[in-house]
Amino acid sequence: MAAQAFRLLIAGEQVGGDRGTYDIVNPATETVVGQAPEASTAQVEAAAEAAADAFPAWSRTTPEERAALLDRAADLLRERMDELIPLVQAETGATMRVAKTMQVPTCIERFRRYARGALEPATIPLPPSEMPTTALAPGGIMGAIAVRQPVGVVACITPYNFPIVNMAGKIGPALAMGNTVVVKPAPQDPLAVTVFGEVLRDAGFPPGVVNVITGSGADAGQALVASEHVDMVSFTGSTPVGRAIGEVAGRDMKRLLLELGGKGAGIVFDDADLATAIGTISSVWAFHSGQICTAPTRVIAQRGVYDQVVAGLQKAAGRLKVGDPLEPDTVVGPLISDVQRSRVEALIAAGVEQGGELVVGGQRPDLATGFYVAPTLIAGCKPDNAAVQQEFFGPVVVVVPFDDEDEAVAVANGTEFGLYDYVFTADTARAMRVARQLRTGNVGINTAQRNHEAPFGGFKMSGVGRDGGSFGLHAYSELQSIVWPG
Ligand code: NAD
């Protein structure tokens, strides 16, 4: 694997980085997985220009042509699955189970979904409207339609947890709607995305329609967001970076889709099925070591079940095998990097210093290599504790007690985030009542399962805009009104 050359894709050509390469490190073994190209600012600009040049012709292709290419790309991804799974696994540190069942298959599913999506109607008929005569024009019955038009060049910038899945969730709907793209994966795990770019080229997307750039620092993303050729930025990542992107993009009216940080509340009422609640919350530890923006990391437990919830979570955490992601029974793998591990450890320490009780975890597991943090539970937290307010993006659950429904809602809404909350209760009416009061883009009732057709996105500092299902197609389009006399 280390001998493979990973390349940028600019205007249909696979090229090396003008500034050489940098090492991608396996977070479990701390060995080098491969070398990623270090793109120069000029290469970023060339990629954006290529996307702008390719836009007029691509935007005029038929939906059927675009659907066929997206389907072809899904076929080629499937053919290269055996190569992609170990590569994504090695660069992300995901457990084999997550790499095999989610990282690559979900990417393929997204392309299939948006191959169908390309064929969804892009014209919305509107009822004729009777208009009086004015100084502007004679009156009459005015017909109208709203047409979804592509936005133009979309910069797709992603974080490190699900590199090709996240990218597919952006590229799929963007291409289906007739946009061209420049994609910039995270510095930590960009290798599979470069292969993904090759797959799209091989599938027959014309030169410039898809461009891939990589780099070890923030500068490649910064240059891309600032480029005059970019019409829209679709960004998934942290709230501070999203805010910085919003400031730059706002100056030129670049369209924005921002999917940012989260601090998912899991409200557990006294009447909840505790096995379900505890199982769902344990996914924070079991699913990609908590490097998931939607995870229920902030448990808000009613006092009648508080002790049982804490004891149940403590037991669950102790049962999970932490270690080599390649071993089939490993549940908790490493964090992406030493830097991220240090950040998580510092926030655990702050949480305890501010009165949280460290019930389990908090230390590095006894392993020779890897950026591991043991599954950690901090109970008895006050709502203003830093560990309750800030995002860990790691295998850490905090617990806050509450007395009544109003308090639960207030605590749940009491962070700057609003991405994904969960309600555990046997009372359906209460679940719906509480859900409607939560200032969050998504609510799961007694489950962490998703419906991929539902709109996905954040309230407050968790972002702007929605994707998911057909909403993803809408996100990558601009509405144009066409009006005529009937
Ligand atoms: P990050 O914000 O540090 O980086 C994300 C991407 O932005 C990377 O590709 C990075 O190189 C790039 N970048 C950094 N500075 C930039 C700048 N000034 N201009 C343009 N691009 C820039 O995020 P991360 O540490 O890779 O990922 C973790 C974060 O992502 C967490 O906050 C998590 O909640 C969030 N996330 C959100 C979602 C969601 O759907 N809401 C999904 C996954 C992850």
Side-chain angles (χ1 to χ4, degrees):
M1 193 184 295
Q4 188 176 347
F6 299 97
R7 304 246 175 247
L8 307 171
L9 181 64
I10 301 174
E13 299 292 325
Q14 286 189 294
V15 294
D18 277 352
R19 294 195 289 159
T21 60
Y22 69 98
D23 288 345
I24 300 303
V25 175
N26 181 320
T29 60
E30 300 183 41
T31 56
V32 174
V33 180
Q35 273 83 32
E38 189 79 81
S40 64
T41 306
Q43 287 181 306
V44 174
E45 194 52 23
E49 194 174 345
D53 290 346
F55 176 71
W58 177 249
S59 62
R60 288 195 290 266
T61 52
T62 64
E64 289 74 15
E65 286 172 282
R66 299 197 292 273
L69 284 175
L70 287 161
D71 254 336
R72 174 88 187 116
D75 292 342
L76 293 185
L77 280 167
R78 183 157 295 285
E79 280 172 24
R80 294 185 72 168
M81 241 167 104
D82 288 348
E83 169 196 353
L84 277 165
I85 290 172
L87 179 60
V88 178
Q89 189 287 319
E91 63 178 340
T92 61
T95 58
M96 216 23 165
R97 194 170 68 93
V98 168
K100 258 191 191 152
T101 60
M102 301 197 67
Q103 294 272 16
V104 183
T106 310
C107 174
I108 296 168
E109 274 163 33
R110 287 190 164 180
F111 261 61
R112 295 261 186 248
R113 169 64 184 84
Y114 288 110
R116 297 196 304 277
L119 305 176
E120 289 181 26
T123 301
I124 305 161
L126 299 170
S129 181
E130 198 178 317
M131 298 300 295
T133 297
T134 65
L136 187 65
I141 308 287
M142 304 304 291
I145 52 171
V147 182
R148 291 195 191 283
Q149 295 275 21
V151 184
V153 175
V154 183
C156 302
I157 303 177
T158 50
Y160 59 72
N161 54 351
F162 279 85
I164 53 174
V165 171
N166 259 316
M167 216 40 115
K170 295 183 185 302
I171 303 176
L175 294 178
M177 288 308 296
N179 301 279
T180 57
V181 298
V182 181
V183 312
K184 212 294 290 170
Q188 298 92 337
D189 55 10
L191 300 180
V193 174
T194 67
V195 176
F196 193 6
E198 184 175 289
V199 165
L200 295 176
R201 189 204 57 174
D202 293 349
F205 285 94
V209 170
V210 179
N211 304 271
V212 180
I213 53 166
T214 61
S216 63
D219 49 346
Q222 279 168 333
L224 184 57
V225 170
S227 170
E228 61 171 359
H229 299 295
V230 168
D231 300 292
M232 171 174 174
V233 182
S234 172
F235 170 78
T236 301
S238 65
T239 293
V241 172
R243 186 188 264 145
I245 287 174
E247 283 175 15
V248 175
R251 284 182 221 143
D252 297 322
M253 295 298 160
K254 286 176 181 151
R255 276 50 183 160
L256 286 173
L257 177 61
L258 301 176
E259 302 202 327
L260 310 177
K263 189 76 187 175
I267 304 175
V268 186
F269 284 99
D270 282 346
D271 65 350
D273 176 332
L274 293 189
T276 299
I278 289 163
T280 304
I281 294 159
S282 298
S283 69
V284 173
W285 300 312
F287 187 29
H288 214 12
S289 300
Q291 298 172 109
I292 303 289
C293 52
T294 54
T297 53
R298 192 167 47 110
V299 177
I300 302 170
Q302 200 159 16
R303 287 201 193 269
V305 290
Y306 175 84
D307 288 342
Q308 282 166 276
V309 169
V310 172
L313 287 171
Q314 178 179 15
K315 209 165 138 197
R319 275 201 300 263
L320 306 174
K321 180 177 164 194
V322 185
D324 181 355
L326 295 179
E327 285 174 14
D329 56 341
T330 296
V331 181
V332 187
L335 296 182
I336 191 73
S337 65
D338 199 18
V339 172
Q340 176 59 6
R341 174 172 58 181
S342 301
R343 218 186 62 78
V344 168
E345 287 173 339
L347 192 49
I348 292 172
V352 173
E353 203 180 295
Q354 291 175 28
E357 179 205 344
L358 188 61
V359 179
V360 63
Q363 81 289 13
R364 292 183 184 187
D366 191 15
L367 295 160
T369 59
F371 311 124
Y372 290 88
V373 171
T376 298
L377 179 66
I378 309 175
C381 295
K382 297 258 176 0
D384 62 353
N385 187 313
V388 177
Q389 290 294 321
Q390 294 174 32
E391 185 183 36
F392 277 96
F393 223 56
V396 185
V397 173
V398 299
V399 195
V400 181
F402 76 91
D403 288 302
D404 62 27
E405 193 176 302
D406 286 348
E407 188 187 358
V409 170
V411 174
N413 287 339
T415 73
E416 65 173 353
F417 301 109
L419 186 60
Y420 215 121
D421 288 344
Y422 303 79
V423 182
F424 299 96
T425 176
D427 180 342
T428 310
R430 169 156 67 188
M432 298 308 285
R433 186 170 66 232
V434 169
R436 293 214 169 93
Q437 294 175 73
L438 293 173
R439 302 293 301 154
T440 185
N442 310 267
V443 182
I445 296 176
N446 297 323
T447 184
Q449 189 49 274
R450 302 278 182 81
N451 177 336
H452 290 303
E453 291 302 308
F456 177 81
F459 280 22
K460 303 194 285 182
M461 296 303 281
S462 288
V464 170
R466 296 291 180 271
D467 62 11
S470 300
F471 299 94
L473 297 163
H474 305 171
Y476 295 92
S477 66
E478 293 253 49
L479 280 174
Q480 178 185 59
S481 296
I482 302 179
V483 175
W484 65 92

